[in-house]
Structures are given as structure tokens and as C-alpha cells.
């Protein structure tokens, strides 16, 4: 009887491990204050920079992705010159090195509002005190639009630049940027991901090119306010992906469903003490290889937005699809 019980336990354990997600990688130092992280490494000295939502965009640095992370201050301590509500509490940074200049895209909005705009700041080093706010990029929304211009993400395709953005309403859109991507190249935009059900809860897109495909990662579900009201089980943030051979559309999930018709394959969802992972990005780490990074709630710490923790995992691939 003991043998039979042990055999059943082993089968259950094996089945659960097949469907399990890896726990986040090591993190030391200041690992909270990590909502909507953007991760980049300065090539001149190998310093890691982590930018996150809140105030003038918090900056943390570390010698490695594992830490120890140290808070340095705000990128834009006076906020944005964009004249909208929320311009001193900036969201969803997205940082890239273009030529010899670092570009920091950010969103100006207030929670639940469609009165939003995407701004840009630049720096030659990323250090606190070196950022210059350039203000509006020309990507903005209001109640007349079918999209919301938050959660910016830039991708370069050859000599062209595209900015992905969006949240709820009709979800994720894309616009062409100028050859120097400080401004949009026009007002035309097009939908690249849309969840037809419920409140259309998709946002936080991040596009990444790998092995012949453009992978569109995005966060689906409810992101915030878990300390006061948690959504139904499974309705919290999770990380999804679709892919296409083009950066401008045609994204499908692993089952062949269009990303514009509620498609999306789960990459990472709540598990163990990890709750509501999202706000993700992809980074090629010199030590750990290709990683996905994100914020999450550690249920042993707390559910408040200010307690969101920085997480990361190495990515593995199977038949052209990522997993952790």
C-alpha cells in the first residue's frame, strides 16, 4: 500500500512539474519599487539600470541582474512638460540606446483615464541628473479615440522605428516613428492585439525579434490594487505572447489564433508565492542568456502596488515558442 501511495504521489508531482513555472531568479538589494520595469545595461562599465513606474521614473542600478539593486533617484524629478493630469507621476518607462543616446519613453495619464500621451526624455549616460525631457512624441489619446496611449515600447526594424502602445479600450496599437524616433511619422495607427472579451484587458506590450520571428509579449488581466480588491482567480495579470514574421501585424498564438481576435499563449502566470506577473520585457544577459523580466506580487511580502517585486527568468524555447 505504501508503494502504491508513493507511486501515485510521484505521478502527481511529475504532472505538476511539467506544467509548473520556474521561480524568479535571485534578486538582492532594493528589489521592490519595480512596477513596469525597463532593464538596460550600460556597455561602458557594465552597470545595470532598472527604470520603473512612479513619480519621475525611479532609477535603480546594480552590477548584475541579480543585484544588489540600489535606488539612485528620479530620471525626471520635476515630471514631464506634457500638460496633462498625471505629469508628475509617470508610467511604464521603455529605455533604448539609439546611436550614442539613451531614449526613455514614458506615459502620462491617470488611472482609468483615456486622456493620455507618450513622452520622451534623453540622456548620454542614464545617470540621475542627466536626463532632458523632450515632452510629447505626438502619440496621444482622448475620449474620441478607440485606444489609450500608455505603455510605450519602441522596436527598430532595419532603419525604421515602430512604437507599440495601448491598454484596454481596443488594446494594443502601433505607429510609425520618424527616422530619429523623437516624434511620430504621422497620425496613422493600427491594431496589433485585441482581446474581444470582458473589459479588453491587454496592455504592456513588448516586441522582440528572435530567430526569424517578431514576438509580441503583453500583459493580460488586472494589474493593480490587489491590496484593496483582488480580481477573480485567473483574472489577475499574466504574461502572454504571439508571434509574426512581420513587426507590423499578423501575430498569432501557438494554437494559430490571431492576436487581434483574443489570441495569446501564456508564458507566465501566478504560481506559488508569485501573483500577477506582468509589465514584462526581454533582455539578452551576458551571464544568463535571454531572460524575461517583469514585476510581480510576492504574497509573503504584500499585495500593494508599491510592494511589486522585480522578477526575471531565463527563457527556454520549444518549436519556436518561449517558456520559463
Amino acid at each position: 500500500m505504501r508503494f502504491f501511495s508513493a507511486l501515485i504521489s510521484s505521478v502527481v508531482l511529475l504532472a505538476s512539474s511539467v506544467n509548473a513555472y520556474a521561480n524568479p531568479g535571485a534578486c538582492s538589494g532594493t528589489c521592490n519599487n519595480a512596477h513596469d520595469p525597463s532593464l538596460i545595461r550600460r556597455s561602458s562599465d557594465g552597470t545595470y539600470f532598472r527604470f520603473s513606474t512612479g513619480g519621475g521614473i525611479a532609477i535603480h542600478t546594480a552590477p548584475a541582474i541579480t543585484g544588489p539593486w540600489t535606488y539612485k533617484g528620479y530620471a525626471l524629478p520635476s515630471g514631464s512638460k506634457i500638460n496633462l493630469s498625471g505629469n508628475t507621476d509617470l508610467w511604464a518607462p521603455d529605455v533604448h540606446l539609439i546611436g550614442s543616446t539613451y531614449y526613455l519613453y514614458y506615459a502620462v495619464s491617470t488611472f482609468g483615464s483615456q486622456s493620455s500621451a507618450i513622452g520622451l526624455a534623453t540622456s548620454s549616460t542614464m545617470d540621475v541628473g542627466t536626463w532632458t525631457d523632450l515632452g510629447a512624441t505626438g502619440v496621444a489619446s482622448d475620449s474620441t479615440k478607440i485606444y489609450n496611449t500608455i505603455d510605450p515600447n519602441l522596436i527598430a526594424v532595419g532603419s525604421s522605428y515602430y512604437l507599440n502602445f495601448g491598454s484596454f479600450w481596443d488594446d494594443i496599437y502601433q505607429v510609425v516613428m520618424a527616422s530619429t524616433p523623437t516624434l511620430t511619422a504621422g497620425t496613422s495607427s493600427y491594431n496589433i492585439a485585441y482581446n474581444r472579451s470582458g473589459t479588453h484587458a491587454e496592455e504592456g506590450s513588448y516586441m522582440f525579434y528572435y530567430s526569424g520571428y517578431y514576438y509580441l509579449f503583453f500583459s493580460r488581466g488586472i494589474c493593480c490594487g490587489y491590496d484593496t480588491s483582488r480580481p477573480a482567480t485567473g483574472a489577475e495579470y499574466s504574461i502572454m505572447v504571439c508571434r509574426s514574421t512581420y513587426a507590423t501585424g499578423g501575430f498569432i498564438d501557438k494554437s494559430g489564433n490571431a492576436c487581434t481576435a483574443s489570441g495569446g499563449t501564456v508564458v507566465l502566470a501566478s504560481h506559488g508565492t508569485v501573483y500577477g506577473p506582468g509589465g514584462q520585457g526581454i533582455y539578452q544577459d551576458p551571464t544568463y542568456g535571454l531572460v524575461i523580466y517583469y514585476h510581480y506580487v510576492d504574497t509573503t511580502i504584500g499585495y500593494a502596488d508599491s510592494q511589486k517585486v522585480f522578477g526575471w527568468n531565463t527563457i527556454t524555447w520549444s518549436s519556436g515558442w518561449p517558456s520559463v
Side-chain angles (χ1 to χ4, degrees):
M1 188 62 149
R2 279 197 296 265
F3 171 77
F4 181 75
S5 298
L7 180 61
I8 293 297
S9 297
S10 297
V11 171
V12 171
L13 180 61
L14 177 61
S16 65
S17 65
V18 167
N19 297 310
Y21 302 104
N23 287 325
C27 186
S28 64
T30 305
C31 296
N32 66 340
N33 190 12
H35 200 128
D36 300 328
S38 182
L39 183 69
I40 189 170
R41 180 173 175 265
R42 188 165 59 193
S43 59
S44 61
D45 60 1
T47 299
Y48 286 70
F49 283 74
R50 189 183 85 216
F51 299 80
S52 56
T53 284
I57 302 293
I59 299 176
H60 294 73
T61 64
I65 194 172
T66 56
W69 289 98
T70 301
Y71 174 66
K72 294 296 185 179
Y74 286 135
L76 297 175
S78 299
S80 170
K81 64 174 65 175
I82 296 173
N83 187 23
L84 282 178
S85 295
N87 66 359
T88 59
D89 185 28
L90 309 177
W91 297 352
D94 182 54
V95 184
H96 301 267
L97 177 62
I98 300 174
S100 58
T101 302
Y102 293 96
Y103 282 53
L104 187 164
Y105 297 89
Y106 60 83
V108 176
S109 190
T110 54
F111 198 76
S113 168
Q114 205 179 354
S115 179
S116 311
I118 292 170
L120 172 65
T122 58
S123 168
S124 59
T125 65
M126 294 191 289
D127 291 315
V128 169
T130 67
W131 289 95
T132 299
D133 182 34
L134 303 184
T137 60
V139 184
S141 58
D142 56 34
S143 60
T144 67
K145 301 292 197 302
I146 56 176
Y147 52 75
N148 192 16
T149 51
I150 68 169
D151 295 353
N153 171 240
L154 186 78
I155 185 167
V157 181
S159 59
S160 300
Y161 292 97
Y162 300 90
L163 191 73
N164 305 314
F165 60 87
S167 169
F168 289 66
W169 281 272
D170 278 7
D171 293 331
I172 298 168
Y173 275 71
Q174 185 179 88
V175 66
V176 180
M177 298 295 285
S179 56
T180 299
T182 57
L183 295 169
T184 178
T187 58
S188 178
S189 60
Y190 38 91
N191 188 224
I192 57 174
Y194 178 55
N195 181 8
R196 294 177 175 178
S197 63
T199 57
H200 320 300
E202 289 182 351
E203 59 189 12
S205 61
Y206 190 98
M207 194 178 291
F208 179 78
Y209 180 79
Y210 179 79
S211 193
Y213 289 98
Y214 291 91
Y215 289 86
L216 179 65
F217 295 83
F218 57 95
S219 300
R220 176 178 287 174
I222 305 302
C223 72
C224 310
Y226 299 150
D227 54 332
T228 58
S229 177
R230 280 195 285 283
T233 301
E236 73 276 10
Y237 247 16
S238 59
I239 299 173
M240 317 293 290
V241 71
C242 290
R243 75 180 189 185
S244 173
T245 53
Y246 301 96
T248 53
F251 292 91
I252 60 171
D253 66 15
K254 192 174 182 179
S255 299
N257 301 308
C259 213
T260 50
S262 304
T265 297
V266 180
V267 178
L268 184 63
S270 297
H271 61 99
T273 60
V274 173
Y275 181 80
Q280 70 293 316
I282 308 296
Y283 175 67
Q284 182 68 49
D285 189 80
T287 301
Y288 298 98
L290 200 62
V291 304
I292 184 169
Y293 62 87
Y294 50 91
H295 72 243
Y296 70 98
V297 160
D298 183 332
T299 59
T300 67
I301 295 174
Y303 289 83
D305 292 339
S306 62
Q307 294 173 306
K308 297 282 178 63
V309 179
F310 176 68
W312 65 275
N313 292 87
T314 55
I315 295 177
T316 58
W317 297 88
S318 176
S319 302
W321 291 96
S323 67
V324 295

